């Protein structure tokens, strides 16, 4: 579980502190044990509050992305004021008009991402302070099953934290790589997590498709644990501190002594260990590309 605190200063967010605690009661992003999950959350908040010296009362929560959907919606309104100058209320109204009759009652809106706006004679990204008799929009509506939201919100509320907004990880992932090329082409991000891998497709920097492969770095840990007969903590340490995901970076001569489950000290070869890691990563990436092909017939220009 990761908690990030930033301060908005002169239009930019500055990182103040982060806290990371090992999750319990959460499996593949979904809450399976409320008591354990609550304990982990409390530990995370206690850690970051001790760094900052103040208490956190409100958060923006990243919710599970299982069965999230992204659909294109369109809206249109007339500008009836005499000056025809578009303001913030008009933008809100045209987005609300696009959302009408779009909802499945089993789902909840996560966010709405404008693609562009059309005035009388031109299409723009930002219509504010421009003149027009009408305002049209194309936008991406992100929805997710209600249970994905309420389980997270209720858990945070139970420890005295108010959720003021929600988002999906894939919506923010693109900002890690965003540049002029990303904003002008179709791209994809493969995000390998602990127990699941998220595959997201973006059109000009806006997420349009999302899928999940139920495999992640925990599978690498299990492979190492099985091959060397070590516990999962030792396997994870070998993966993170001794293995390589690139064969050319692994050495046949590098050895590390570890103790297996039987109490015996064994020597682990870095190259052989890396082969185990790479084999599973190849499988995860192969499945991710298959999921990407299922999501879209368009070939992304860049994949991260």
């Amino acid at each position: 579980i990761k908690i990030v605190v930033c301060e908005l200063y002169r239009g930019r967010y500055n990182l103040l502190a982060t806290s990371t605690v090992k999750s319990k009661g959460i499996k593949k992003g979904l809450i399976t044990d409320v008591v354990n999950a609550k304990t982990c959350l409390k530990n995370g908040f206690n850690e970051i509050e001790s760094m900052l010296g103040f208490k956190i009362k409100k958060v923006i929560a990243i919710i599970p992305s299982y069965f999230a959907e992204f659909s294109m919606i369109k809206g249109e309104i007339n500008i009836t004021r005499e000056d025809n100058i578009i303001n913030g209320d008009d933008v809100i109204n045209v987005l609300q008009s696009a959302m009408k009759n779009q909802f499945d009652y089993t789902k909840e809106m996560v966010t709405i991402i404008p693609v562009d706006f059309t005035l009388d004679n031109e299409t723009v990204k930002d219509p504010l302070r421009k003149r027009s008799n009408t305002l049209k929009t194309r936008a991406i509506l992100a929805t997710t099953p209600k249970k994905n939201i309420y389980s997270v919100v209720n858990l945070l509320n139970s420890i005295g934290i108010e959720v003021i907004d929600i988002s999906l990880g894939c919506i923010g992932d693109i900002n890690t790589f965003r540049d002029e090329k990303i904003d002008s082409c179709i791209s994809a991000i493969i995000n390998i997590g602990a127990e699941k891998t998220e595959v997201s497709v973006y059109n000009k920097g806006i997420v349009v498709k999302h899928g999940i492969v139920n495999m992640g770095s925990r599978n690498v840990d299990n492979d190492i644990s099985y091959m060397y007969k070590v516990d999962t903590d030792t396997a994870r340490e070998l993966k993170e501190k001794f293995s390589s995901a690139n064969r050319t970076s692994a050495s046949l001569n590098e050895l590390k002594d570890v103790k297996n489950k039987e109490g015996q000290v064994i020597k682990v070869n870095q190259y052989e260990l890396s082969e185990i890691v790479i084999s599973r990563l190849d499988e995860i990436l192969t499945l991710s590309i298959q999921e990407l092909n299922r999501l879209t017939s368009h070939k992304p220009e860049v994949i991260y």
Side-chain angles (χ1 to χ4, degrees):
I1 299 174
K2 193 171 191 73
I3 303 167
V4 180
V5 179
C6 296
E7 179 184 36
L8 181 62
Y9 180 70
R10 292 184 177 179
R12 297 186 64 181
Y13 284 104
N14 297 296
L15 181 66
L16 296 184
T18 67
S19 170
T20 305
V21 294
K22 186 176 179 180
S23 64
K24 293 182 179 179
I26 300 173
K27 188 173 180 62
K28 297 184 177 179
L30 301 175
I31 297 165
T32 56
D33 186 318
V34 174
V35 175
N36 280 332
K38 186 187 295 187
T39 300
C40 292
L41 267 178
K42 285 181 179 178
N43 292 340
F45 278 103
N46 288 339
E47 182 179 299
I48 203 164
E49 287 170 353
S50 66
M51 296 180 198
L52 296 169
F54 58 80
K55 189 168 180 62
I56 297 170
K57 298 179 180 179
K58 300 179 180 181
V59 297
I60 298 171
I62 302 297
I63 60 171
S65 55
Y66 282 97
F67 305 110
E69 292 184 357
F70 301 88
S71 54
M72 177 70 77
I73 57 175
K74 298 179 180 180
E76 179 179 357
I77 61 170
N78 295 315
I79 309 299
T80 56
R81 291 184 304 279
E82 187 175 339
D83 60 10
N84 293 128
I85 297 176
I86 294 168
N87 59 31
D89 289 336
D90 296 322
V91 173
I92 292 172
N93 290 337
V94 75
L95 291 173
Q96 288 179 337
S97 75
M99 290 165 52
K100 285 183 179 179
N101 304 318
Q102 295 291 334
F103 283 107
D104 177 342
Y105 289 105
T106 64
K107 297 192 174 183
E108 193 80 45
M109 183 189 79
V110 177
T111 190
I112 182 169
I113 310 168
V115 175
D116 55 33
F117 297 89
T118 301
L119 309 178
D120 289 339
N121 301 311
E122 63 177 329
T123 298
V124 297
K125 288 290 186 182
D126 183 3
L128 291 176
R129 295 176 293 280
K130 296 183 182 292
R131 292 179 183 274
S132 182
N133 292 307
T134 62
L135 178 63
K136 301 177 184 178
T137 188
R138 294 188 305 157
I140 298 295
L141 177 66
T143 59
T144 190
K146 290 184 176 182
K147 62 180 182 180
N148 287 6
I149 297 174
Y150 297 151
S151 60
V152 174
V153 172
N154 290 339
L155 182 63
L156 285 161
N157 287 344
S158 71
I159 62 170
I161 302 295
E162 180 186 353
V163 177
I164 61 169
D165 204 352
I166 56 174
S167 188
L168 297 164
C170 59
I171 293 175
D173 282 349
I174 192 67
N175 293 302
T176 305
F177 309 101
R178 174 165 261 133
D179 56 22
E180 288 185 5
K181 183 174 182 180
I182 290 293
D183 286 336
S184 64
C185 72
I186 295 175
S187 56
I189 293 177
I190 298 172
N191 189 339
I192 302 176
E195 295 179 319
K196 61 186 175 71
T197 295
E198 300 190 20
V199 182
S200 306
V201 181
Y202 302 83
N203 188 355
K204 297 181 179 179
I206 297 175
V207 61
V208 291
K209 296 284 185 179
H210 179 73
I212 289 176
V213 174
N214 283 308
M215 193 177 290
S217 65
R218 194 70 56 83
N219 296 88
V220 179
D221 299 342
N222 294 338
D223 291 343
I224 297 171
S225 176
Y226 175 78
M227 294 299 294
Y228 293 106
K229 295 181 173 57
V230 296
D231 58 51
T232 51
D233 288 339
T234 302
R236 187 178 302 109
E237 185 174 354
L238 283 170
K239 176 191 69 179
E240 294 176 355
K241 298 182 178 180
F242 192 55
S243 73
S244 173
N246 189 331
R247 289 181 178 85
T248 59
S249 301
S251 171
L252 281 166
N253 300 318
E254 288 286 333
L255 300 171
K256 187 176 181 65
D257 292 338
V258 296
K259 189 176 289 187
N260 64 18
K261 293 178 181 178
E262 298 172 357
Q264 301 170 330
V265 176
I266 61 173
K267 293 186 180 297
V268 175
N269 180 284
Q270 187 182 54
Y271 189 86
E272 293 175 353
L273 172 67
S274 299
E275 284 286 351
I276 296 170
V277 172
I278 292 167
S279 176
R280 180 63 77 173
L281 287 177
D282 281 346
E283 182 182 8
I284 292 172
L285 292 174
T286 298
L287 291 172
S288 297
I289 295 298
Q290 290 175 2
E291 179 66 12
L292 184 59
N293 292 333
R294 186 189 69 80
L295 291 171
T296 179
S297 58
H298 298 286
K299 187 176 180 179
E301 291 186 37
V302 286
I303 300 178
Y304 296 99

